[in-house]
Amino acid sequence: MENNTNAYNQEVVKDEYSTNNCAVTNALKIMGGKWKMVLIKIIADDCVSRFGELKRKMDDIAQTTLTIQLRELERDGIICRKVYAESPPRVEYKLTEIGITLLPVIQVLTDWNDNYCNLTR
C-alpha cells in the first residue's frame, strides 16, 4: 500500500510558500534570531550606539555573538557602522532608512505580545 497524502491525480506545485519565495521567511532571515530585534530597538532608542554601550545593555550576549549580529544587520542594510580614526578606535551604529521602517513592525509584535500575555494569564 502506498502512503501518499496527495490525491491520485493531484499535481505537486511549488507556490508562494516555498522556502525561497515566502516573504515571511525572507523577512525572518533578516531580522530573526534571538538578538536582532532587541539590537534594532536599542539602536533606535539611542539614535546612535557604540559597541560598548550595546554590550552593557545586552548583558547576556557574548561579545562574539554581538559582533556577528551587528555584521549581519549591517550586511542586510538595517544598520550602518561608522568607524572613527581615533585612539582607541570608536565605532558607532545607527539605523538606516530601511532599518527605521522595521520599527512599526517591532511595535506591532510588542503589542501582540502584550495582548497574548494578558490573554494567557
Side-chain angles (χ1 to χ4, degrees):
M1 181 169 175
E2 189 176 327
N3 186 6
N4 189 351
T5 58
N6 291 329
Y8 178 75
N9 60 357
Q10 183 180 2
E11 184 177 319
V12 177
V13 178
K14 286 189 175 185
D15 60 11
E16 72 258 23
Y17 297 109
S18 70
T19 304
N20 294 324
N21 195 30
C22 181
V24 173
T25 302
N26 290 334
L28 288 175
K29 284 179 185 176
I30 295 167
M31 63 180 191
K34 185 175 180 179
W35 303 107
K36 287 184 181 177
M37 283 200 261
V38 175
L39 277 168
I40 292 167
K41 185 77 172 110
I42 291 171
I43 293 169
D45 290 346
D46 292 346
C47 294
V48 175
S49 296
R50 294 179 65 184
F51 186 88
E53 295 168 350
L54 292 170
K55 179 68 178 108
R56 278 189 294 280
K57 289 183 179 182
M58 301 177 69
D59 201 27
D60 295 339
I61 191 171
Q63 185 167 331
T64 53
T65 303
L66 177 58
T67 300
I68 290 167
Q69 297 296 288
L70 289 168
R71 285 181 183 163
E72 289 177 3
L73 288 168
E74 182 184 12
R75 178 200 65 206
D76 293 333
I78 306 303
I79 63 173
C80 63
R81 177 179 183 260
K82 186 172 184 179
V83 180
Y84 294 89
E86 299 175 351
S87 183
R90 178 171 52 126
V91 179
E92 293 181 342
Y93 299 91
K94 69 177 187 175
L95 292 180
T96 61
E97 288 182 27
I98 295 172
I100 291 169
T101 65
L102 283 173
L103 296 177
V105 174
I106 293 171
Q107 187 59 52
V108 167
L109 289 171
T110 301
D111 295 343
W112 180 87
N113 179 68
D114 293 345
N115 188 40
Y116 176 80
C117 289
N118 288 332
L119 291 173
T120 58
R121 282 188 190 158

